[in-house]
Amino acid sequence: ATVPPATGGNTGGNRDGRKLSTENWDKFDTDGFKAQEIDCESCTNREIHNAAYHFTLDYLNSQDILVEQLQYYKGREWIDEQTVELIITVATYNAEYGIFAQLILYTEFERGGGVKNKWTSESILGDPYGLESDKSVTYQWVICLDVLWILMVTGLLIGEFREMKQLGVKYLRDFWNVLDWLQCLLTIGIECYWVYIALEGYNLVKQYSDSHDPDMLRDDFDGDLATEKRSNVARKLNLLLQSGMLYRYLTIINILVLVIRFFKAFNVQPRLAVISKTISKSIPDIAHFMVIFLCLWFTFVMFAHFVFGHMVKSYSSVGNAMFNTLRGFVAAPAVNVPEIIQTNGYTVIPRYWV
């Protein structure tokens, strides 16, 4: 949101010059307005458009202070006609199970006046092995599985090194040998990445513990709420969740490589080798089929987008049209024919056949 500069020092004011109540101004976050102190005469329109302001609402503050904080933001017009998107992030920690969670609410303000709302929720274990948990059931035995997996991959690496030493350059000409190395390197990289995520999780638990005092929950508490420390924990949690997402994607790739390596074992058994040989011999036919299929698919995609895109939400964008057209190829009931027919009764027949 673009926010006008405050008037009257810490007092603050809106565009009408009206003073805002700031009795507890020092108890809530106003750092988001500091961006207005920067001289933006040389800023481009894109830089101004992409400007983002961050504010923290601490749940440990009293309800009156939180209401005053929101009124202060409203008076400073933190959301105005230039606002593109409002993102509300709620970070929580379940100390009983050692789980961090993040709920993100998105409100997008379109130029045409439309408002879109969506939400996402993610969680991650701050104590994945239960080393600091008081529960009777922990997952410390999972460490044994991690060590076993590393030992298995190490054994595969040693075997591949020996085979490379014997075959020399011929070793790299075999596709399966290259795939074995890819599997080893992926596994080692993923394990190292997991150790990093686990250590960051334990570090995050410690930082949260340092920023929280049980006395803060008392009504008569008059000390420092350490809002900035918990804000840093929330920001680091967001980075940790992104690392967790990348870790899951790498794990999926590793699993796919592992499945492909099964075909190497199939070649040893004559009956199972039929499968891999059939797939390898059919690759040229599959490639020619995909060329024809993609041409037809994109033809239907663009037709659906241009004809229905301005009336049917399912085809309002090229991405939506690609997804829903592919669904229609797989299963005919996936096409919402009644919605298409209701858009224009004069073109029922061509729309129905599309």
Side-chain angles (χ1 to χ4, degrees):
T2 56
V3 187
T7 59
N10 289 347
T11 305
N14 60 8
R15 290 181 177 177
D16 298 331
R18 178 169 49 87
K19 295 291 186 67
L20 301 173
S21 174
T22 57
E23 179 182 351
N24 299 294
W25 186 84
D26 58 335
K27 294 184 179 180
F28 52 74
D29 176 25
T30 59
D31 290 343
F33 294 110
K34 287 183 178 180
Q36 293 299 318
E37 304 296 332
I38 302 175
D39 182 12
C40 275
E41 293 182 0
S42 60
C43 295
T44 63
N45 291 333
R46 179 178 294 273
E47 290 173 341
I48 297 175
H49 178 79
N50 293 333
Y53 303 91
H54 305 274
F55 305 92
T56 301
L57 284 85
D58 193 340
Y59 72 98
L60 291 178
N61 277 323
S62 65
Q63 184 176 357
D64 294 336
I65 293 179
L66 292 175
V67 171
E68 181 181 336
Q69 183 177 359
L70 289 175
Q71 290 295 333
Y72 176 79
Y73 293 163
K74 184 178 180 180
R76 289 289 303 274
E77 299 185 15
W78 67 322
I79 300 177
D80 59 12
E81 295 179 354
Q82 305 301 320
T83 303
V84 177
E85 187 176 39
L86 175 65
I87 303 176
I88 301 176
T89 303
V90 182
T92 59
Y93 176 63
N94 188 323
E96 182 178 358
Y97 294 97
I99 298 177
F100 285 100
Q102 184 184 72
L103 173 66
I104 304 180
L105 308 175
Y106 299 91
T107 299
E108 182 181 352
F109 304 97
E110 296 182 341
R111 289 179 12 182
V115 178
K116 290 184 178 180
N117 297 308
K118 63 179 181 179
W119 65 275
T120 61
S121 178
E122 289 188 69
S123 62
I124 192 170
L125 286 171
D127 183 14
Y129 296 112
L131 301 178
E132 300 179 0
S133 176
D134 296 331
K135 303 191 300 295
S136 58
V137 179
T138 61
Y139 297 95
Q140 298 178 14
W141 56 272
V142 178
I143 299 178
C144 299
L145 296 180
D146 290 339
V147 173
L148 179 61
W149 179 246
I150 293 174
L151 291 176
M152 292 174 61
V153 175
T154 304
L156 179 60
L157 275 174
I158 294 173
E160 293 299 323
F161 269 121
R162 291 176 178 174
E163 188 176 353
M164 181 185 297
K165 185 178 180 181
Q166 293 176 356
L167 299 178
V169 181
K170 294 181 180 179
Y171 174 86
L172 298 176
R173 296 176 182 175
D174 191 343
F175 167 77
W176 298 112
N177 292 332
V178 176
L179 198 65
D180 289 340
W181 272 102
L182 179 61
Q183 175 81 70
C184 296
L185 296 177
L186 267 176
T187 302
I188 294 175
I190 290 174
E191 284 296 330
C192 293
Y193 198 37
W194 166 248
V195 171
Y196 163 77
I197 292 175
L199 292 177
E200 284 295 313
Y202 284 112
N203 185 38
L204 200 62
V205 172
K206 184 179 183 305
Q207 291 185 21
Y208 176 77
S209 178
D210 294 340
S211 67
H212 182 77
D213 186 349
D215 292 338
M216 295 177 179
L217 300 176
R218 296 171 51 185
D219 295 335
D220 58 348
F221 179 78
D222 194 28
D224 184 14
L225 293 178
T227 301
E228 182 62 27
K229 290 184 178 179
R230 285 196 304 282
S231 298
N232 290 332
V233 172
R235 284 190 284 268
K236 291 184 178 180
L237 173 60
N238 186 42
L239 296 176
L240 185 61
L241 289 171
Q242 294 178 12
S243 298
M245 182 181 299
L246 179 59
Y247 170 80
R248 289 192 292 271
Y249 287 147
L250 291 175
T251 302
I252 292 173
I253 295 175
N254 195 27
I255 293 174
L256 292 176
V257 174
L258 182 62
V259 171
I260 296 174
R261 288 185 65 241
F262 284 147
F263 289 97
K264 180 180 179 180
F266 292 166
N267 291 330
V268 179
Q269 217 281 340
R271 291 183 179 273
L272 295 177
V274 174
I275 299 175
S276 58
K277 291 180 180 179
T278 301
I279 295 177
S280 62
K281 291 184 178 180
S282 62
I283 287 178
D285 295 330
I286 295 176
H288 286 85
F289 167 78
M290 289 303 300
V291 171
I292 299 174
F293 174 78
L294 290 175
C295 292
L296 292 176
W297 179 38
F298 277 106
T299 300
F300 281 103
V301 165
M302 300 312 297
F303 187 90
H305 177 58
F306 283 118
V307 176
F308 309 136
H310 62 294
M311 293 180 288
V312 182
K313 185 177 181 180
S314 301
Y315 305 106
S316 58
S317 65
V318 176
N320 289 339
M322 291 174 64
F323 174 73
N324 288 284
T325 304
L326 185 61
R327 287 185 62 199
F329 284 161
V330 176
V335 179
N336 193 346
V337 177
E339 181 183 12
I340 296 176
I341 293 177
Q342 291 175 2
T343 57
N344 192 336
Y346 294 101
T347 56
V348 170
I349 295 179
R351 292 170 188 266
Y352 177 80
W353 284 108
V354 170

